[in-house]
Amino acid sequence: MKASAFSYARASSVVDALELLARHGDQAKILSGGQSLMPALNLRLSAPELLVDIGAIDELRGISVANGVLRIGALTRHVDVLRSAEIAKHAPLLTEAIAHVAHPAIRNKGTFGGSLAHADPASELPACVLALDAVILVRSKDSERRIQAADFFTGIYETLLAPDELLVAVEIPVAKPNAVHFFHEYARRKGDYAIVGLAASGILDGDVLTDLRLGYFAVGDKPMLATAAEHLTGRPVTASMLADAQAALDAELDPQEDQQASAGMRRYLARQLMARCVSVLLERPDLETKALA
């Protein structure tokens, strides 16, 4: 199958792209890396009248650090995130997670902002920006908005982006000296869509997690920031606390059943990921062992 007919415009600047979006509204679609959009077009899951190519807009690329904030331009490619020394230093969760995004050919073309705007609930990066408490910057012709990542994703392939808005950058607080992180996903093969995954960041004070953000993916219609993490902070974690947190997580989850896994399997794997995460962050293998018993 091939894409339905559409017009094409190559934007020369952010202003140019926003003018086109303002003029054409929801009849236009942004093309960045194209690794998700082009298959959707060919399958006719998306049929815009106009494709706005932003690939030549250099001002949307790049990684910088200033005033305690790591800024990633929307057109920064996955491979550039993977290789960035700044990201490895200030947001190492991204370095670890992005190595799991599809395959090298996809990472060479796919973009950071494109992955977030696409909002696939099984994607790694949306869960990562939840865990890192990121802010997503979007612009329209007349205004700019700063949206907390926790509010940005609204459903399957759905976000708060309006038809006339463009995602321009993501801002992430730089990691504190006592910051810790965890990433793991279950997939049938490396590079396949995740069955269940967890991206987590926290603050460790001795043997106590004073903060913990658990960003799950592939467990529902959007990435989920688990409030069950509250059961694991503020005091040394015990097996009983972990069991309570897993029970609270189970109550939060509403996983879908598909050809990869049943809802019950996803619930089980999500609980085990929580146990593995806490065990790794605290260097307490006994916690994961007891959770599996």
Side-chain angles (χ1 to χ4, degrees):
M1 188 178 291
K2 296 297 181 183
S4 57
F6 57 82
S7 298
Y8 171 87
R10 188 170 176 83
S12 58
S13 66
V14 170
V15 171
D16 186 23
L18 294 176
E19 289 279 358
L20 289 165
L21 292 178
R23 194 179 314 144
H24 294 276
D26 58 8
Q27 300 304 312
K29 196 76 175 175
I30 291 291
L31 171 64
S32 53
Q35 301 307 292
S36 298
L37 178 59
M38 297 313 294
L41 292 177
N42 287 335
L43 291 170
R44 301 203 176 187
L45 299 174
S46 180
E49 292 181 1
L50 174 68
L51 211 57
V52 180
D53 186 349
I54 62 171
I57 305 178
D58 287 339
E59 62 189 286
L60 292 177
R61 304 183 196 283
I63 299 162
S64 61
V65 180
N67 301 318
V69 174
L70 173 69
R71 182 184 173 104
I72 305 172
L75 284 185
T76 305
R77 297 177 304 155
H78 298 325
V79 67
D80 296 323
V81 172
L82 181 63
R83 294 171 178 171
S84 168
E86 295 282 20
I87 287 178
K89 178 179 179 181
H90 298 295
L93 172 62
L94 290 178
T95 304
E96 186 171 347
I98 211 155
H100 293 264
V101 174
H103 303 284
I106 302 296
R107 294 195 293 269
N108 286 340
K109 291 289 188 179
T111 63
F112 195 84
S115 178
L116 302 183
H118 185 57
D120 187 327
S123 290
E124 293 85 357
L125 295 184
C128 286
V129 296
L130 287 185
L132 293 170
D133 198 19
V135 173
I136 297 172
L137 279 65
V138 305
R139 283 181 58 186
S140 67
K141 181 181 176 183
D142 301 316
S143 64
E144 180 174 286
R145 290 198 293 161
R146 299 170 60 83
I147 306 172
Q148 289 294 140
D151 300 323
F152 184 72
F153 306 100
T154 59
I156 298 177
Y157 307 122
E158 294 179 348
T159 71
L160 287 181
L161 272 175
D164 65 340
E165 288 182 319
L166 179 66
L167 194 160
V168 297
V170 177
E171 292 184 348
I172 299 169
V174 300
K176 297 179 180 179
N178 53 342
V180 290
H181 73 276
F182 172 87
F183 182 88
H184 190 79
E185 66 178 40
Y186 293 112
R188 296 192 182 279
R189 296 176 302 176
K190 184 174 174 57
D192 281 4
Y193 279 105
I195 298 171
V196 178
L198 174 59
S201 69
I203 302 296
L204 187 61
D205 184 5
D207 61 349
V208 173
L209 289 162
T210 59
D211 184 50
L212 181 62
R213 297 176 66 88
L214 302 176
Y216 278 93
F217 55 102
V219 294
D221 64 356
K222 60 182 179 180
M224 184 189 83
L225 191 62
T227 61
E230 296 170 356
H231 292 265
L232 299 166
T233 59
R235 54 199 175 103
V237 175
T238 63
S240 176
M241 286 171 61
L242 179 56
D244 289 343
Q246 288 177 309
L249 174 66
D250 204 53
E252 285 187 75
L253 293 172
D254 185 21
Q256 306 296 311
E257 181 169 347
D258 57 24
Q259 68 274 17
Q260 290 208 93
S262 67
M265 179 179 177
R266 283 195 162 93
R267 286 181 182 277
Y268 173 79
L269 293 177
R271 292 194 299 269
Q272 299 316 308
L273 278 176
M274 174 184 275
R276 176 177 290 191
C277 171
V278 175
S279 173
V280 169
L281 296 185
L282 296 174
E283 298 182 350
R284 292 269 310 279
D286 61 294
L287 289 172
E288 185 177 8
T289 302
K290 290 176 181 176
L292 290 171

